[in-house]
Structures are given as C-alpha cells and as structure tokens.
Amino acid sequence: MVSPEVTVVVVPRERFDRTRASLDRLYQTTRCPFDLVYIDGNSPPPVARYLAAEADRRGFALHRTKSYLAGNEARNIGLRYARTPYVAFIENDVLPEPGWLEALTDCAERTGAWIVGPIVHIGLGAERRIHGAGAAISIAESGGRRRLVYQARLANAPTAAAAGLTAHRTDLIKPYCMLARRGALDRIGPFDQSIRSIFEAADVALAVQAAGGTVHLEPRAVVTHTVPPPLPASSVPFFLLRWSVAWLRTSLERFAGKHRLPLDAPELHIEHNWRSYHRRRVLPAPLFALLRRHPFLYVAKAVDRAVFDLLLEQTVVRRLERRRADAGFPSS
C-alpha cells in the first residue's frame, strides 16, 4: 500500500448544511491516497452524528470542538495532526472536481511552490462563474504611507475564461482550497488566529513573499464554493459570528497592525463593504434578492445597521463570543 503524501484538512467556513455533499464529493473525486483530518467546529447534532458515523466507516480522524471556530483556528488544529509532506486545506462547503488533489500535488512537485491553489468557481448551474484564479498582492510605500495593492484575476468571469490557462506563478490563493508544503508552513509559522474573517489569504501570501517562497495557480484543479441563500436555521448562529462586526474588527486591526498599514486605508475597508453585503445572505432568498437590487440598496444598508449591527451583534454574537471564551478561545 502506498503511503499518502498528502493530508487533507477540512475546516469550517460559514455553514454546515453542505457537509455531506462536500465530504462525499471529496472521496468521489480524489484518486490518490490521502489522510483526512476533519475539524468539526460545533456543527449541529445531526451533522455531528453524520461525521462521527463517517469517521468510523471511512477511518478518518475527526476532531470536534464545543464552540465555533474561525478558519485559521481550525487550520492550526488540523496542522497539528498532519504527518505528510503536503497538507491540503479545504473548506466544508467546497465541492472539488475530479483530479483536484493530484493536479495540485503534481504542480507543487514540478515547480517547488510552497503554496498551490485551484481555480475556484462559485455558484451552481447557469449562475456558475469564476470566483478566484489567483491574485497579485503587495505592499507599496509612497510619501511615507504604506498601502495594500491587490489585483484579482478573472474574478466574476465566465468559467470558459480559464480555458487555455496553464500553471503559473501568482501571489495569492483564496482560502477555500489550497495545498501547502508542510516544511513551508513550519517556516512561516502557524496561521494567525487573530485574523478570523477576512485577510486570511492576504496574510499567508505576504508571509510567503517575505520568506522567499512562491505560490502557483494550477488550473487543472477546480473546486466550487456554494453560497447561501438558502441557509438553514441551524447554521445561522455560526454564519452571524463568522461575519460579525466583532470578528471583522479584530481581523482588520490585526492585519493592519501586523503589516504596518493605516487603519483608514480605503483598500482595507472594501472588505467591510463586502461583509455587509455577504452577511445579508442569512435572510430568506426572496428578501435577499430584493435587497440586492440597485433601487433597494439604501434599504439594505439600513437593514444592515439596524438588524445586524445593533440587534444581532449585541445579542447573538456577544453570547457566542462568551461561549468561545468559556471554551478557551479568545474573544474579540
């Protein structure tokens, strides 16, 4: 029997209702041997029972916490149990396409890259499009002021736009799925757990740059990220915490301070605007569709301030933060 060269670590992103579909797809589409470490961050009881049964049946390592986890917290837990030369991190609502892992490891072997990532699609059916195909990122200085320079490639383009692409160097891979050399991760240090909701990929990209490593995009590897709505009630508390003002503020302040960027930099606050839009996905599908239309944007902003910032942030999010603190995880 061939010993696996890769440990796949599954981590929570923002929901739990895609767990079964994602895990089934992972096994269906992965031909090479791999170890699996599944990090279950307080999934609802039916999902927890399903994962326990699958771990028993398939023989993978399952590690469950009693509180919700940020992505970087879960990655660090999974990394402690990885014993292979490569570690592939994939989020629990991502659907990989056939050959994804083989393509990523082959690219890493051929290029010596520290990090390799796939093309990321978003949506299903006719709405499917490219969400990520690598990005350029750097920090520029002018007039004594530092700023983050970021340029995504093929964002929101039709999936056909990636035809003809070959593996090439890039700077940043989105965190939905990425393969990393274990030695490279040991060199740049653990994932920064104070970065909880945004700037995860940017922080890793800048760390790899500073250490002299390289990042590659491998277009032969493709994964699909699925987004709500719909979002079942059992996933709502985690979704609200994941995109809360508290986690956004912690992430923004940590990233800006770590990389000596001004907190008022416009390029950093683009993420704030995106978060405000994205977390409205917790609403029922017809209401979300209505609020995303241009004439109703002012209504959507009012909903965000009144319902999310004032009501839910002061009730649901604060309660979940207290539970995390009781379980030993830092609060904002």
Side-chain angles (χ1 to χ4, degrees):
M1 182 176 180
V2 178
S3 298
E5 292 290 305
V6 186
T7 299
V8 176
V9 177
V10 181
V11 301
R13 177 173 173 79
E14 61 185 10
R15 62 197 293 193
F16 299 105
D17 57 300
R18 303 294 292 172
T19 296
R20 183 187 295 266
S22 180
L23 185 60
D24 284 349
R25 181 73 73 87
L26 190 154
Y27 275 102
Q28 292 166 5
T29 59
T30 311
R31 297 185 294 269
C32 66
F34 65 96
D35 291 331
L36 178 63
V37 177
Y38 201 107
I39 309 302
D40 176 13
N42 194 35
S43 66
V47 176
R49 290 192 293 270
Y50 163 76
L51 287 173
E54 286 297 290
D56 218 32
R57 181 170 77 92
R58 297 184 183 273
F60 62 79
L62 175 64
H63 300 278
R64 177 175 170 82
T65 62
K66 294 183 179 180
S67 65
Y68 298 129
L69 295 172
N72 279 350
E73 292 170 341
R75 290 181 188 96
N76 282 338
I77 294 172
L79 191 56
R80 292 203 294 266
Y81 297 98
R83 300 290 182 268
T84 52
Y86 293 106
V87 184
F89 299 95
I90 188 167
E91 295 181 324
N92 69 340
D93 58 358
V94 169
L95 305 175
E97 297 294 321
W100 70 283
L101 189 57
E102 296 85 350
L104 294 178
T105 52
D106 177 66
C107 180
E109 287 288 291
R110 288 186 292 103
T111 64
W114 288 17
I115 305 283
V116 182
I119 296 281
V120 179
H121 290 171
I122 191 168
L124 299 172
E127 294 187 356
R128 194 180 190 196
R129 62 192 186 278
I130 295 174
H131 187 52
I137 189 170
S138 61
I139 294 178
E141 292 195 46
S142 177
R145 184 179 175 90
R146 290 164 63 88
R147 65 185 182 91
L148 187 70
V149 181
Y150 175 83
Q151 181 62 56
R153 186 176 190 189
L154 297 183
N156 293 316
T159 57
L165 284 183
T166 57
H168 59 273
R169 283 188 62 169
T170 188
D171 293 330
L172 180 146
I173 293 297
K174 287 183 177 289
Y176 305 102
C177 176
M178 67 175 181
L179 177 84
R181 291 181 181 272
R182 177 57 195 262
L185 295 178
D186 291 340
R187 183 168 176 179
I188 65 176
F191 295 95
D192 192 329
Q193 296 186 175
S194 293
I195 297 176
R196 299 179 189 171
S197 60
I198 53 175
F199 302 118
E200 299 155 295
D203 188 60
V204 171
L206 293 174
V208 171
Q209 283 183 17
T214 59
V215 176
H216 272 69
L217 178 80
E218 175 48 83
R220 292 180 299 155
V222 178
V223 302
T224 298
H225 167 54
T226 55
V227 294
L231 186 71
S234 59
S235 287
V236 167
F238 177 46
F239 188 89
L240 292 176
L241 179 63
R242 175 72 161 89
W243 303 114
S244 65
V245 173
W247 279 25
L248 173 78
R249 183 181 60 248
T250 296
S251 304
L252 176 63
E253 292 176 352
R254 172 59 177 166
F255 182 78
K258 184 175 183 179
H259 298 286
R260 296 184 289 118
L261 296 164
L263 270 175
D264 62 350
E267 65 271 15
L268 298 186
H269 287 272
I270 289 173
E271 295 289 346
H272 182 281
N273 295 335
W274 175 86
R275 182 271 310 170
S276 297
Y277 168 81
H278 184 72
R279 70 178 182 175
R280 288 196 291 271
R281 291 181 180 276
V282 75
L283 301 171
L287 182 55
F288 173 73
L290 177 67
L291 292 178
R292 71 189 297 189
R293 295 177 186 171
H294 180 71
F296 293 94
L297 288 180
Y298 73 96
V299 177
K301 291 178 180 178
V303 167
D304 193 63
R305 288 194 299 271
V307 176
F308 291 99
D309 289 357
L310 298 180
L311 177 61
L312 296 175
E313 197 79 19
Q314 300 301 317
T315 55
V316 175
V317 171
R318 281 194 175 186
R319 185 167 64 250
L320 294 174
E321 283 277 63
R322 286 196 295 270
R323 290 180 183 175
R324 276 174 47 85
D326 291 342
F329 293 95
S331 58
S332 298

PDB file of all heavy atoms in Angstrom, residues 140-163:
ATOM      1  N   ALA A 140       2.942  48.614  -1.106  1.00  0.00           N
ATOM      2  CA  ALA A 140       3.696  49.710  -1.726  1.00  0.00           C
ATOM      3  C   ALA A 140       3.842  50.850  -0.726  1.00  0.00           C
ATOM      4  O   ALA A 140       2.985  51.035   0.147  1.00  0.00           O
ATOM      5  CB  ALA A 140       2.987  50.190  -2.986  1.00  0.00           C
ATOM      6  N   GLU A 141       4.926  51.601  -0.856  1.00  0.00           N
ATOM      7  CA  GLU A 141       5.158  52.759   0.004  1.00  0.00           C
ATOM      8  C   GLU A 141       5.303  54.000  -0.850  1.00  0.00           C
ATOM      9  O   GLU A 141       5.994  54.009  -1.863  1.00  0.00           O
ATOM     10  CB  GLU A 141       6.414  52.556   0.855  1.00  0.00           C
ATOM     11  CG  GLU A 141       6.272  51.461   1.887  1.00  0.00           C
ATOM     12  CD  GLU A 141       7.359  51.517   2.950  1.00  0.00           C
ATOM     13  OE1 GLU A 141       7.624  52.624   3.468  1.00  0.00           O
ATOM     14  OE2 GLU A 141       7.923  50.461   3.254  1.00  0.00           O
ATOM     15  N   SER A 142       4.629  55.081  -0.434  1.00  0.00           N
ATOM     16  CA  SER A 142       4.715  56.349  -1.148  1.00  0.00           C
ATOM     17  C   SER A 142       4.451  57.475  -0.157  1.00  0.00           C
ATOM     18  O   SER A 142       3.441  57.451   0.568  1.00  0.00           O
ATOM     19  CB  SER A 142       3.675  56.393  -2.282  1.00  0.00           C
ATOM     20  OG  SER A 142       3.699  57.633  -2.930  1.00  0.00           O
ATOM     21  N   GLY A 143       5.373  58.431  -0.125  1.00  0.00           N
ATOM     22  CA  GLY A 143       5.201  59.561   0.777  1.00  0.00           C
ATOM     23  C   GLY A 143       5.138  59.166   2.226  1.00  0.00           C
ATOM     24  O   GLY A 143       4.433  59.810   3.012  1.00  0.00           O
ATOM     25  N   GLY A 144       5.832  58.106   2.577  1.00  0.00           N
ATOM     26  CA  GLY A 144       5.843  57.655   3.956  1.00  0.00           C
ATOM     27  C   GLY A 144       4.602  56.892   4.375  1.00  0.00           C
ATOM     28  O   GLY A 144       4.429  56.576   5.562  1.00  0.00           O
ATOM     29  N   ARG A 145       3.735  56.566   3.440  1.00  0.00           N
ATOM     30  CA  ARG A 145       2.498  55.850   3.748  1.00  0.00           C
ATOM     31  C   ARG A 145       2.487  54.519   3.012  1.00  0.00           C
ATOM     32  O   ARG A 145       2.762  54.460   1.814  1.00  0.00           O
ATOM     33  CB  ARG A 145       1.291  56.693   3.340  1.00  0.00           C
ATOM     34  CG  ARG A 145      -0.057  56.093   3.711  1.00  0.00           C
ATOM     35  CD  ARG A 145      -1.172  57.037   3.284  1.00  0.00           C
ATOM     36  NE  ARG A 145      -2.504  56.476   3.508  1.00  0.00           N
ATOM     37  CZ  ARG A 145      -3.197  56.622   4.618  1.00  0.00           C
ATOM     38  NH1 ARG A 145      -2.694  57.329   5.622  1.00  0.00           N
ATOM     39  NH2 ARG A 145      -4.412  56.094   4.727  1.00  0.00           N
ATOM     40  N   ARG A 146       2.162  53.472   3.727  1.00  0.00           N
ATOM     41  CA  ARG A 146       2.087  52.138   3.141  1.00  0.00           C
ATOM     42  C   ARG A 146       0.658  51.841   2.710  1.00  0.00           C
ATOM     43  O   ARG A 146      -0.302  52.252   3.380  1.00  0.00           O
ATOM     44  CB  ARG A 146       2.551  51.081   4.163  1.00  0.00           C
ATOM     45  CG  ARG A 146       4.039  51.138   4.439  1.00  0.00           C
ATOM     46  CD  ARG A 146       4.401  50.370   5.705  1.00  0.00           C
ATOM     47  NE  ARG A 146       4.108  48.953   5.617  1.00  0.00           N
ATOM     48  CZ  ARG A 146       4.939  48.033   5.143  1.00  0.00           C
ATOM     49  NH1 ARG A 146       6.126  48.391   4.655  1.00  0.00           N
ATOM     50  NH2 ARG A 146       4.618  46.752   5.148  1.00  0.00           N
ATOM     51  N   ARG A 147       0.527  51.103   1.597  1.00  0.00           N
ATOM     52  CA  ARG A 147      -0.804  50.707   1.163  1.00  0.00           C
ATOM     53  C   ARG A 147      -0.760  49.315   0.566  1.00  0.00           C
ATOM     54  O   ARG A 147       0.266  48.880   0.021  1.00  0.00           O
ATOM     55  CB  ARG A 147      -1.375  51.701   0.157  1.00  0.00           C
ATOM     56  CG  ARG A 147      -0.639  51.783  -1.161  1.00  0.00           C
ATOM     57  CD  ARG A 147      -1.198  52.891  -2.049  1.00  0.00           C
ATOM     58  NE  ARG A 147      -0.526  52.954  -3.340  1.00  0.00           N
ATOM     59  CZ  ARG A 147      -0.931  52.298  -4.423  1.00  0.00           C
ATOM     60  NH1 ARG A 147      -2.014  51.544  -4.375  1.00  0.00           N
ATOM     61  NH2 ARG A 147      -0.264  52.398  -5.556  1.00  0.00           N
ATOM     62  N   LEU A 148      -1.870  48.631   0.684  1.00  0.00           N
ATOM     63  CA  LEU A 148      -2.003  47.284   0.142  1.00  0.00           C
ATOM     64  C   LEU A 148      -2.449  47.377  -1.308  1.00  0.00           C
ATOM     65  O   LEU A 148      -3.433  48.053  -1.627  1.00  0.00           O
ATOM     66  CB  LEU A 148      -3.027  46.497   0.955  1.00  0.00           C
ATOM     67  CG  LEU A 148      -3.171  45.011   0.616  1.00  0.00           C
ATOM     68  CD1 LEU A 148      -1.930  44.241   1.069  1.00  0.00           C
ATOM     69  CD2 LEU A 148      -4.422  44.429   1.290  1.00  0.00           C
ATOM     70  N   VAL A 149      -1.716  46.702  -2.186  1.00  0.00           N
ATOM     71  CA  VAL A 149      -2.058  46.670  -3.611  1.00  0.00           C
ATOM     72  C   VAL A 149      -2.536  45.262  -3.947  1.00  0.00           C
ATOM     73  O   VAL A 149      -1.805  44.288  -3.751  1.00  0.00           O
ATOM     74  CB  VAL A 149      -0.842  47.048  -4.487  1.00  0.00           C
ATOM     75  CG1 VAL A 149      -1.224  47.024  -5.961  1.00  0.00           C
ATOM     76  CG2 VAL A 149      -0.296  48.421  -4.085  1.00  0.00           C
ATOM     77  N   TYR A 150      -3.749  45.160  -4.451  1.00  0.00           N
ATOM     78  CA  TYR A 150      -4.359  43.851  -4.710  1.00  0.00           C
ATOM     79  C   TYR A 150      -5.054  43.874  -6.064  1.00  0.00           C
ATOM     80  O   TYR A 150      -5.792  44.801  -6.378  1.00  0.00           O
ATOM     81  CB  TYR A 150      -5.377  43.528  -3.606  1.00  0.00           C
ATOM     82  CG  TYR A 150      -6.151  42.251  -3.824  1.00  0.00           C
ATOM     83  CD1 TYR A 150      -5.617  41.019  -3.466  1.00  0.00           C
ATOM     84  CD2 TYR A 150      -7.431  42.280  -4.386  1.00  0.00           C
ATOM     85  CE1 TYR A 150      -6.334  39.852  -3.661  1.00  0.00           C
ATOM     86  CE2 TYR A 150      -8.149  41.115  -4.580  1.00  0.00           C
ATOM     87  CZ  TYR A 150      -7.592  39.903  -4.215  1.00  0.00           C
ATOM     88  OH  TYR A 150      -8.297  38.738  -4.411  1.00  0.00           O
ATOM     89  N   GLN A 151      -4.797  42.858  -6.863  1.00  0.00           N
ATOM     90  CA  GLN A 151      -5.436  42.751  -8.173  1.00  0.00           C
ATOM     91  C   GLN A 151      -5.834  41.296  -8.420  1.00  0.00           C
ATOM     92  O   GLN A 151      -4.986  40.431  -8.627  1.00  0.00           O
ATOM     93  CB  GLN A 151      -4.499  43.225  -9.282  1.00  0.00           C
ATOM     94  CG  GLN A 151      -5.098  43.158 -10.679  1.00  0.00           C
ATOM     95  CD  GLN A 151      -6.319  44.051 -10.829  1.00  0.00           C
ATOM     96  OE1 GLN A 151      -6.261  45.247 -10.576  1.00  0.00           O
ATOM     97  NE2 GLN A 151      -7.441  43.476 -11.243  1.00  0.00           N
ATOM     98  N   ALA A 152      -7.131  41.032  -8.376  1.00  0.00           N
ATOM     99  CA  ALA A 152      -7.623  39.679  -8.628  1.00  0.00           C
ATOM    100  C   ALA A 152      -7.595  39.374 -10.115  1.00  0.00           C
ATOM    101  O   ALA A 152      -7.615  40.281 -10.952  1.00  0.00           O
ATOM    102  CB  ALA A 152      -9.042  39.534  -8.090  1.00  0.00           C
ATOM    103  N   ARG A 153      -7.551  38.086 -10.434  1.00  0.00           N
ATOM    104  CA  ARG A 153      -7.558  37.668 -11.831  1.00  0.00           C
ATOM    105  C   ARG A 153      -8.825  36.882 -12.140  1.00  0.00           C
ATOM    106  O   ARG A 153      -9.181  35.953 -11.408  1.00  0.00           O
ATOM    107  CB  ARG A 153      -6.336  36.806 -12.146  1.00  0.00           C
ATOM    108  CG  ARG A 153      -6.221  36.465 -13.618  1.00  0.00           C
ATOM    109  CD  ARG A 153      -4.972  35.698 -13.959  1.00  0.00           C
ATOM    110  NE  ARG A 153      -4.805  35.597 -15.404  1.00  0.00           N
ATOM    111  CZ  ARG A 153      -3.898  34.835 -16.007  1.00  0.00           C
ATOM    112  NH1 ARG A 153      -3.054  34.126 -15.280  1.00  0.00           N
ATOM    113  NH2 ARG A 153      -3.818  34.796 -17.324  1.00  0.00           N
ATOM    114  N   LEU A 154      -9.528  37.298 -13.182  1.00  0.00           N
ATOM    115  CA  LEU A 154     -10.719  36.620 -13.693  1.00  0.00           C
ATOM    116  C   LEU A 154     -11.872  36.569 -12.698  1.00  0.00           C
ATOM    117  O   LEU A 154     -12.768  35.732 -12.827  1.00  0.00           O
ATOM    118  CB  LEU A 154     -10.371  35.176 -14.127  1.00  0.00           C
ATOM    119  CG  LEU A 154      -9.368  35.028 -15.274  1.00  0.00           C
ATOM    120  CD1 LEU A 154      -9.187  33.551 -15.621  1.00  0.00           C
ATOM    121  CD2 LEU A 154      -9.814  35.808 -16.502  1.00  0.00           C
ATOM    122  N   ALA A 155     -11.894  37.452 -11.710  1.00  0.00           N
ATOM    123  CA  ALA A 155     -12.991  37.455 -10.745  1.00  0.00           C
ATOM    124  C   ALA A 155     -14.307  37.751 -11.447  1.00  0.00           C
ATOM    125  O   ALA A 155     -14.418  38.706 -12.222  1.00  0.00           O
ATOM    126  CB  ALA A 155     -12.725  38.487  -9.655  1.00  0.00           C
ATOM    127  N   ASN A 156     -15.305  36.899 -11.197  1.00  0.00           N
ATOM    128  CA  ASN A 156     -16.652  37.007 -11.772  1.00  0.00           C
ATOM    129  C   ASN A 156     -16.695  36.774 -13.278  1.00  0.00           C
ATOM    130  O   ASN A 156     -17.708  37.069 -13.924  1.00  0.00           O
ATOM    131  CB  ASN A 156     -17.278  38.367 -11.443  1.00  0.00           C
ATOM    132  CG  ASN A 156     -17.560  38.525  -9.970  1.00  0.00           C
ATOM    133  OD1 ASN A 156     -18.068  37.606  -9.342  1.00  0.00           O
ATOM    134  ND2 ASN A 156     -17.211  39.663  -9.409  1.00  0.00           N
ATOM    135  N   ALA A 157     -15.634  36.247 -13.849  1.00  0.00           N
ATOM    136  CA  ALA A 157     -15.626  35.944 -15.277  1.00  0.00           C
ATOM    137  C   ALA A 157     -16.352  34.628 -15.544  1.00  0.00           C
ATOM    138  O   ALA A 157     -16.496  33.783 -14.650  1.00  0.00           O
ATOM    139  CB  ALA A 157     -14.183  35.848 -15.781  1.00  0.00           C
ATOM    140  N   PRO A 158     -16.829  34.409 -16.774  1.00  0.00           N
ATOM    141  CA  PRO A 158     -17.419  33.108 -17.120  1.00  0.00           C
ATOM    142  C   PRO A 158     -16.383  32.002 -16.944  1.00  0.00           C
ATOM    143  O   PRO A 158     -15.175  32.234 -17.108  1.00  0.00           O
ATOM    144  CB  PRO A 158     -17.800  33.269 -18.596  1.00  0.00           C
ATOM    145  CG  PRO A 158     -17.847  34.743 -18.826  1.00  0.00           C
ATOM    146  CD  PRO A 158     -16.856  35.358 -17.893  1.00  0.00           C
ATOM    147  N   THR A 159     -16.821  30.811 -16.629  1.00  0.00           N
ATOM    148  CA  THR A 159     -15.888  29.708 -16.394  1.00  0.00           C
ATOM    149  C   THR A 159     -15.031  29.427 -17.623  1.00  0.00           C
ATOM    150  O   THR A 159     -13.890  28.986 -17.504  1.00  0.00           O
ATOM    151  CB  THR A 159     -16.647  28.439 -15.982  1.00  0.00           C
ATOM    152  OG1 THR A 159     -17.610  28.111 -16.995  1.00  0.00           O
ATOM    153  CG2 THR A 159     -17.384  28.652 -14.663  1.00  0.00           C
ATOM    154  N   ALA A 160     -15.566  29.692 -18.805  1.00  0.00           N
ATOM    155  CA  ALA A 160     -14.818  29.455 -20.041  1.00  0.00           C
ATOM    156  C   ALA A 160     -13.592  30.352 -20.164  1.00  0.00           C
ATOM    157  O   ALA A 160     -12.686  30.078 -20.956  1.00  0.00           O
ATOM    158  CB  ALA A 160     -15.723  29.650 -21.252  1.00  0.00           C
ATOM    159  N   ALA A 161     -13.540  31.432 -19.377  1.00  0.00           N
ATOM    160  CA  ALA A 161     -12.415  32.364 -19.469  1.00  0.00           C
ATOM    161  C   ALA A 161     -11.107  31.738 -19.011  1.00  0.00           C
ATOM    162  O   ALA A 161     -10.023  32.243 -19.337  1.00  0.00           O
ATOM    163  CB  ALA A 161     -12.697  33.623 -18.644  1.00  0.00           C
ATOM    164  N   ALA A 162     -11.195  30.632 -18.273  1.00  0.00           N
ATOM    165  CA  ALA A 162      -9.979  29.968 -17.797  1.00  0.00           C
ATOM    166  C   ALA A 162      -9.442  28.958 -18.800  1.00  0.00           C
ATOM    167  O   ALA A 162      -8.372  28.375 -18.566  1.00  0.00           O
ATOM    168  CB  ALA A 162     -10.253  29.280 -16.461  1.00  0.00           C
ATOM    169  N   ALA A 163     -10.146  28.742 -19.892  1.00  0.00           N
ATOM    170  CA  ALA A 163      -9.684  27.780 -20.900  1.00  0.00           C
ATOM    171  C   ALA A 163      -8.322  28.199 -21.440  1.00  0.00           C
ATOM    172  O   ALA A 163      -8.100  29.362 -21.775  1.00  0.00           O
ATOM    173  CB  ALA A 163     -10.697  27.683 -22.028  1.00  0.00           C
TER     174      ALA A 163
END
